[in-house]
Amino acid sequence: MDKVFNKLRNLDAYPKVNEDFYNRTLAGGVITIVSASVMLFLFFSELYLYFYTVKESRLLVDTSRGETLHINFDVTFPAVRCSLLSLDAMDISGEQHLDIRHNIMKKRIDANGNVIEVKQDGIGVSKIERPLQKHGGRLGHEEKYCGSCFGAEESDDHCCNSCEEVRDAYKKRGWALTNVDLIDQCKREGYVQKLKDEEGEGCNVHGSLEVNKVAGNFHFAMGKSFLQTAIFLVDLVNFEDNHFNISHQINKLSFGHHYPGLVNPLDGVKWVLGDTPGVYQYFIKVVPTIYKDVRGHVINSNQYSVTEHFKKADIGVLPGVFFFYDISPIKVTYTEDHVPFLHFLTNVCAIIGGIFTVAGIVDSSIYYGQKTIKRKREIGKYR
């Protein structure tokens, strides 16, 4: 066994030096303090990186089908009254949604940006209590009220009991309601007066849309949109404005849910255009994105890039703000993860061993350099 132990001793890569031969120097002490400080700094830096999550990204072809696109928006028009503003959406599949009101809220704001009223989209006037019947008589206790649609009835039983219902009936027919002063429901509800009361106001519109995941657009237009013989038209009834100031600020525009690190390039964008009528267009490229955090929670969302263009109004050009979006065929996946423990351990060993070795080389260079200089001085060869 002694022979075996002797052979093992001969394999020792770390021969021990007798303490009697130690020679401690001032330079060695300084180098030890510096190297120990550097070791500690790098160790804690590596420890921080170990606990910090890293994000890995991959690009994949988007093979999903039949999904929908969720759009969140919050846009302020400081010079457009809420009664004049409508939201429409359409896509290349042919699906159209005109004058959208579901999940849409409007805030009337004054010239200073203070909120006057918050309401669901629509003028929001109340129905008259005892309006005229179709035949012009008063509503009796034994009668069921049915207001006239003024030629836009779809059937004999079709009733329009409010000004807004008359407008909707006209819109379904593809007609523009050119003079609401002649509509009994509108006169009794004070429709025109309510529109005049909003003069000089602005409007904040916020809400969400659920659209097909195909290329399309949504836009904020001046007036109520309708179709006539497959032609897109707008009803600008009772508005005497010759110019439409479409200055706007996009407080928020996102496609899908928020995830850590998401930056929406249109958030906070503001454009002041004055009384120059025209169309402001945003061309958006939507990139499907999947984010998976360290806990395994998956967020399906989108990020986007955008270019902008302003077009002055010509004859037949609808004033408004348009958002044209297209879907990228490439999907981005982000995955959060920690640095592997073995990787962390390897880096710590490299830090300790590397600094110890470099410090030893520097200490040896200084020590033997000083000895050489001292020897030359003793024999008188150093000047």
Side-chain angles (χ1 to χ4, degrees):
M1 292 296 294
D2 291 339
K3 292 182 179 180
V4 175
F5 292 151
N6 288 331
K7 290 182 178 180
L8 290 175
R9 291 190 185 94
N10 293 331
L11 295 176
D12 185 7
Y14 310 97
K16 311 305 183 289
V17 180
N18 195 307
E19 293 184 0
D20 296 337
F21 299 100
Y22 280 158
N23 186 13
R24 302 183 187 275
T25 63
L26 177 62
V30 174
I31 292 174
T32 301
I33 293 175
V34 173
S35 60
S37 301
V38 174
M39 281 185 191
L40 288 174
F41 174 75
L42 295 179
F43 170 78
F44 284 111
S45 299
E46 196 66 32
L47 186 64
Y48 171 78
L49 292 176
Y50 172 70
F51 288 111
Y52 183 77
T53 55
V54 295
K55 186 188 302 182
E56 295 182 358
S57 62
R58 289 191 304 164
L59 297 179
L60 303 172
V61 176
D62 187 9
T63 58
S64 59
R65 291 162 43 178
E67 295 183 354
T68 58
L69 187 64
H70 190 78
I71 305 173
N72 306 296
F73 60 86
D74 184 346
V75 185
T76 299
F77 295 85
V80 180
R81 44 187 160 177
C82 289
S83 56
L84 181 59
L85 200 60
S86 65
L87 173 63
D88 309 313
M90 53 193 70
D91 57 48
I92 59 174
S93 69
E95 187 169 330
Q96 297 179 341
H97 303 277
L98 304 181
D99 194 15
I100 300 171
R101 301 185 184 185
H102 185 64
N103 290 335
I104 307 298
M105 296 296 294
K106 287 184 176 179
K107 295 180 182 179
R108 292 171 54 196
I109 57 177
D110 59 21
N112 298 320
N114 300 316
V115 177
I116 301 173
E117 181 187 10
V118 180
K119 61 182 179 179
Q120 190 81 15
D121 192 9
I123 299 300
V125 296
S126 57
K127 296 182 181 180
I128 51 179
E129 295 180 359
R130 296 177 60 82
L132 294 176
Q133 289 282 61
K134 287 183 179 180
H135 52 73
R138 287 289 180 182
L139 176 63
H141 294 290
E142 72 284 352
E143 297 179 272
K144 181 180 179 182
Y145 170 68
C146 181
S148 173
C149 294
F150 299 89
E153 293 88 350
E154 297 178 347
S155 64
D156 293 338
D157 299 330
H158 187 191
C159 303
C160 295
N161 297 340
S162 69
C163 183
E164 201 66 25
E165 290 179 2
V166 176
R167 295 194 69 191
D168 290 339
Y170 267 61
K171 189 167 61 176
K172 290 180 181 178
R173 288 275 190 175
W175 302 345
L177 192 60
T178 56
N179 194 347
V180 295
D181 290 330
L182 301 178
I183 306 300
D184 180 68
Q185 290 91 325
C186 296
K187 287 192 297 182
R188 290 171 174 262
E189 292 173 2
Y191 187 93
V192 176
Q193 184 59 42
K194 289 182 181 293
L195 298 183
K196 291 181 178 180
D197 291 342
E198 293 185 7
E199 290 183 1
E201 294 180 2
C203 188
N204 171 264
V205 186
H206 65 276
S208 61
L209 295 172
E210 197 80 24
V211 297
N212 297 324
K213 196 176 179 180
V214 294
N217 78 82
F218 65 97
H219 54 267
F220 298 94
M222 309 297 118
K224 303 295 181 181
S225 306
F226 64 96
L227 289 176
Q228 185 175 26
T229 61
I231 300 176
F232 182 75
L233 299 174
V234 173
D235 171 17
L236 291 173
V237 61
N238 283 287
F239 296 103
E240 300 175 353
D241 302 339
N242 295 322
H243 302 286
F244 298 102
N245 185 346
I246 60 169
S247 299
H248 59 278
Q249 177 173 336
I250 303 175
N251 305 308
K252 177 184 179 182
L253 180 65
S254 62
F255 294 80
H257 301 290
H258 179 79
Y259 63 84
L262 174 63
V263 176
N264 297 312
L266 285 179
D267 286 0
V269 170
K270 183 178 182 179
W271 289 101
V272 179
L273 301 171
D275 292 329
T276 304
V279 180
Y280 210 95
Q281 300 169 321
Y282 295 93
F283 298 92
I284 299 172
K285 176 67 75 172
V286 179
V287 181
T289 305
I290 296 178
Y291 191 93
K292 184 177 181 180
D293 61 21
V294 291
R295 299 178 181 86
H297 181 242
V298 178
I299 302 174
N300 289 291
S301 186
N302 302 274
Q303 51 188 321
Y304 64 90
S305 61
V306 62
T307 55
E308 306 163 12
H309 177 69
F310 176 73
K311 180 179 180 182
K312 289 187 177 180
D314 297 324
I315 298 177
V317 176
L318 174 68
V321 179
F322 286 68
F323 298 87
F324 298 91
Y325 57 87
D326 193 11
I327 311 299
S328 171
I330 302 299
K331 176 170 59 178
V332 181
T333 62
Y334 292 109
T335 304
E336 283 186 352
D337 201 358
H338 288 295
V339 175
F341 177 74
L342 291 179
H343 184 73
F344 165 72
L345 191 61
T346 301
N347 287 348
V348 170
C349 293
I351 290 171
I352 296 174
I355 294 179
F356 185 81
T357 302
V358 171
I361 294 173
V362 173
D363 180 62
S364 297
S365 300
I366 294 175
Y367 176 71
Y368 288 108
Q370 289 177 340
K371 286 186 64 175
T372 302
I373 293 173
K374 184 178 179 180
R375 190 181 308 114
K376 287 186 177 181
R377 282 179 176 175
E378 290 177 351
I379 60 177
K381 292 185 177 181
Y382 182 78
R383 294 181 181 179

